[in-house]
């Protein structure tokens, strides 16, 4: 079933859009099954869980681990040595810690600025104004351990597809503006948007990385 879902999703992806299989709360065996079906990018949102799976699955060559959830600064050190992309760089303070731990590990870690565009109080991330202020500050240009390669956004948690589309449009507009104003177009290219319930809309609106858990692995058992 995991293999069929991956096949179904990846065959619907336009060129240039990649699938992040969100494996949080699912066992390593489920990841092995997805890997056997050809999936290579996996998304996790808890540092310790990722650390455990990274160790358990060390034999899977070419696997790429993406971190997608809120990352506490004191946990960065566990994942900095191997994480491929952090989608959820949501504050200047966190970015500095990622930089510090990456330098310690002798790496440059790619990060996406997490934008807050949903009309909800609870989500982490930079508002467009805060992101602009941070990019204007130029602080990120001094950090050799991180590379900003794009942005991530989550839409409002609602059934109102017009509102979801609007959130994604807002993120894309800001992403393109930032790409133009602050980056060389070839370096800042990733727009991470879209989950199980809204990835079709996200792709319409320019997503390059969709993050899908439930549709691939089924419902999460938070008891484990
Ligand atoms: C859990 C999670 C997902 C996957 O959500 P599904 O609805 O299960 O596809 C995507 N992005 C983030 C940031 C998540 O925390």
């Amino acid at each position: 079933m995991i293999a069929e879902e991956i096949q179904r999703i990846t065959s619907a992806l336009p060129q240039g859009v990649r699938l992040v299989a969100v494996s949080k709360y699912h066992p390593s065996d489920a990841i092995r099954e997805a890997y056997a079906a050809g999936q290579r990018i996996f998304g996790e949102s808890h540092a310790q869980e990722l650390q455990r799976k990274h160790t358990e699955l060390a034999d899977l060559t070419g696997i790429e681990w993406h971190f997608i959830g809120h990352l506490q600064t004191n946990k960065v050190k566990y994942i900095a040595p191997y994480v491929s992309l952090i989608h959820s760089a949501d504050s200047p303070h966190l970015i500095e810690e990622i930089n510090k731990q990456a330098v310690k590990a002798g790496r440059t870690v790619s990060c996406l600025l997490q934008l807050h565009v949903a009309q909800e109080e609870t989500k982490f991330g930079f508002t467009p104004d805060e992101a602009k202020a941070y990019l204007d500050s130029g602080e990120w240009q001094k950090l050799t351990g991180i590379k900003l390669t794009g942005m991530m956004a989550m839409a409002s948690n609602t059934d109102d597809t017009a509102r979801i589309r609007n959130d994604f449009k807002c993120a894309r507009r800001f992403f393109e503006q930032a790409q133009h104003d602050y980056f060389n177009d070839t370096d800042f290219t990733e727009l991470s948007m879209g989950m199980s319930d809204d990835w079709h809309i996200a792709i319409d609106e320019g997503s390059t990385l969709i993050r899908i858990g439930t549709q691939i692995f089924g419902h999460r058992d938070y008891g484990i």
Side-chain angles (χ1 to χ4, degrees):
M1 193 183 120
I2 288 174
E4 281 81 11
E5 291 303 319
I6 286 172
Q7 175 58 32
R8 197 174 54 75
I9 295 164
T10 52
S11 64
L13 297 183
Q15 203 169 6
V17 181
R18 294 184 296 157
L19 168 65
V20 179
V22 177
S23 46
K24 64 186 185 195
Y25 292 99
H26 291 286
S28 289
D29 282 350
I31 297 174
R32 286 190 184 278
E33 209 176 318
Y35 180 93
Q39 180 63 25
R40 291 294 177 271
I41 308 176
F42 293 88
E44 291 282 337
S45 60
H46 297 278
Q48 271 134 329
E49 185 180 351
L50 171 52
Q51 179 62 11
R52 175 173 57 78
K53 289 174 176 173
H54 173 254
T55 305
E56 285 173 4
L57 300 169
D59 58 307
L60 302 185
T61 52
I63 196 167
E64 260 188 59
W65 294 107
H66 287 196
F67 197 86
I68 62 169
H70 177 62
L71 180 56
Q72 290 168 276
T73 49
N74 62 348
K75 304 283 171 61
V76 174
K77 59 177 178 285
Y78 298 118
I79 67 169
Y82 57 83
V83 70
S84 295
L85 180 64
I86 295 176
H87 293 228
S88 44
D90 59 11
S91 72
H93 180 60
L94 175 60
I95 291 169
E96 295 198 356
E97 182 63 17
I98 295 169
N99 176 65
K100 186 173 139 195
Q101 297 300 334
V103 168
K104 236 186 223 177
R107 304 185 68 216
T108 298
V109 172
S110 294
C111 298
L112 307 182
L113 283 184
Q114 182 174 346
L115 274 189
H116 179 132
V117 292
Q119 293 149 21
E120 278 149 35
E121 288 297 320
T122 55
K123 299 256 167 82
F124 292 101
F126 291 86
T127 64
D129 282 348
E130 288 165 349
K132 188 174 183 315
Y134 181 65
L135 290 169
D136 276 338
S137 77
E139 287 302 315
W140 51 281
Q141 285 170 311
K142 302 172 193 154
L143 308 176
T144 57
I146 63 121
K147 184 172 192 288
L148 296 181
T149 59
M151 288 180 175
M152 184 270 247
M154 277 185 269
S156 302
N157 186 11
T158 171
D159 293 334
D160 180 350
T161 55
R163 196 165 132 190
I164 292 170
R165 189 175 291 278
N166 193 58
D167 289 344
F168 288 147
K169 272 191 202 300
C170 173
R172 185 198 187 157
R173 217 176 294 125
F174 189 75
F175 165 73
E176 287 179 346
Q177 188 69 42
Q179 192 178 47
H180 175 265
D181 291 352
Y182 304 96
F183 296 91
N184 173 338
D185 286 358
T186 56
D187 291 344
F188 192 79
T189 53
E190 300 289 3
L191 184 55
S192 168
M193 309 194 294
M195 308 174 26
S196 287
D197 292 334
D198 57 19
W199 63 274
H200 292 281
I201 305 174
I203 286 175
D204 278 354
E205 300 306 332
S207 175
T208 66
L209 282 168
I210 56 170
R211 310 177 309 269
I212 301 191
T214 310
Q215 218 175 85
I216 296 170
F217 297 108
H219 288 285
R220 290 180 277 276
D221 179 1
Y222 294 105
I224 64 167

